[in-house]
Amino acid sequence: MRLTTKGRFAVTAMIDLALRQGKGPVTLSGISQRQAISLSYLEQLFGKLRRHEIVESIRGPGGGYSLARRADKITVADIIIAVDEPLDATQCGGKDQCRGVDVSAGVRCMTHELWTTLNEKMVDYLDSVSLQDLVDQQLQKHAEQNVVVLHHATAG
């Protein structure tokens, strides 16, 4: 699997957006500053996310982006597929045209089935993780950090 920066940044930006749901539209410049992702890159990603009806844009002063559906109805696979991120571990791109093999003879590379199965497992896993799951993880992590800080402050 080659999950590139595009997929990672899209998921990170979507977590940032989902964490701020209910507080009005979220600007890409705000996400850019908080997550250290280029604004022009976010504009490209959010254009694709909007076309796949994962986010909605609100124009004008006070505008920005919001989720097009509930966070528990958006999966990591939805996000990655929306930004055109291939989830493929095979050499042939899933097209049965493996390198170093006589394709005309209809022969696949020896590990083709292994990588094809891995692709299926990756998609299944990413399809089982919702954006809400990732938001909940971030909220839990933040709550735990606050408890540690409070403990250190009262222990001193």
Side-chain angles (χ1 to χ4, degrees):
M1 175 179 162
R2 253 186 57 235
L3 182 59
T4 63
T5 309
K6 189 189 301 184
R8 281 194 286 276
F9 282 175
V11 172
T12 299
M14 287 296 294
I15 294 168
D16 187 294
L17 175 67
L19 281 165
R20 287 158 180 78
Q21 277 302 120
K23 299 175 185 167
V26 178
T27 65
L28 293 184
S29 61
I31 295 172
S32 173
Q33 290 171 353
R34 286 186 297 272
Q35 303 304 326
I37 302 171
S38 152
L39 180 58
S40 62
Y41 201 64
L42 284 173
E43 288 169 346
Q44 293 173 30
L45 294 176
F46 273 72
K48 293 177 179 189
L49 292 165
R50 188 177 47 77
R51 284 189 291 280
H52 279 83
E53 299 178 346
I54 293 174
V55 298
E56 297 174 326
S57 62
I58 295 92
R59 295 185 180 271
Y65 285 87
S66 63
L67 297 179
R69 54 188 190 258
R70 292 182 1 204
D72 64 339
K73 302 294 182 194
I74 300 171
T75 68
V76 174
D78 293 336
I79 297 166
I80 292 172
I81 290 166
V83 297
D84 298 329
E85 191 62 29
L87 294 173
D88 186 20
T90 63
Q91 280 186 346
C92 64
K95 298 181 180 115
D96 296 340
Q97 297 171 347
C98 303
R99 291 188 197 131
V101 175
D102 183 4
V103 178
S104 63
V107 177
R108 295 180 181 165
C109 67
M110 292 184 283
T111 57
H112 187 86
E113 284 73 21
L114 169 69
W115 304 127
T116 300
T117 302
L118 177 59
N119 288 344
E120 293 167 5
K121 300 288 184 191
M122 286 188 303
V123 171
D124 287 347
Y125 173 69
L126 294 176
D127 207 32
S128 75
V129 179
S130 74
L131 181 57
Q132 188 63 53
D133 295 333
L134 299 177
V135 167
D136 292 344
Q137 286 176 2
Q138 290 303 305
L139 293 173
Q140 179 65 34
K141 187 165 53 171
H142 184 71
E144 289 170 1
Q145 289 170 347
N146 285 343
V147 169
V148 169
V149 169
L150 253 175
H151 175 71
H152 287 297
T154 57

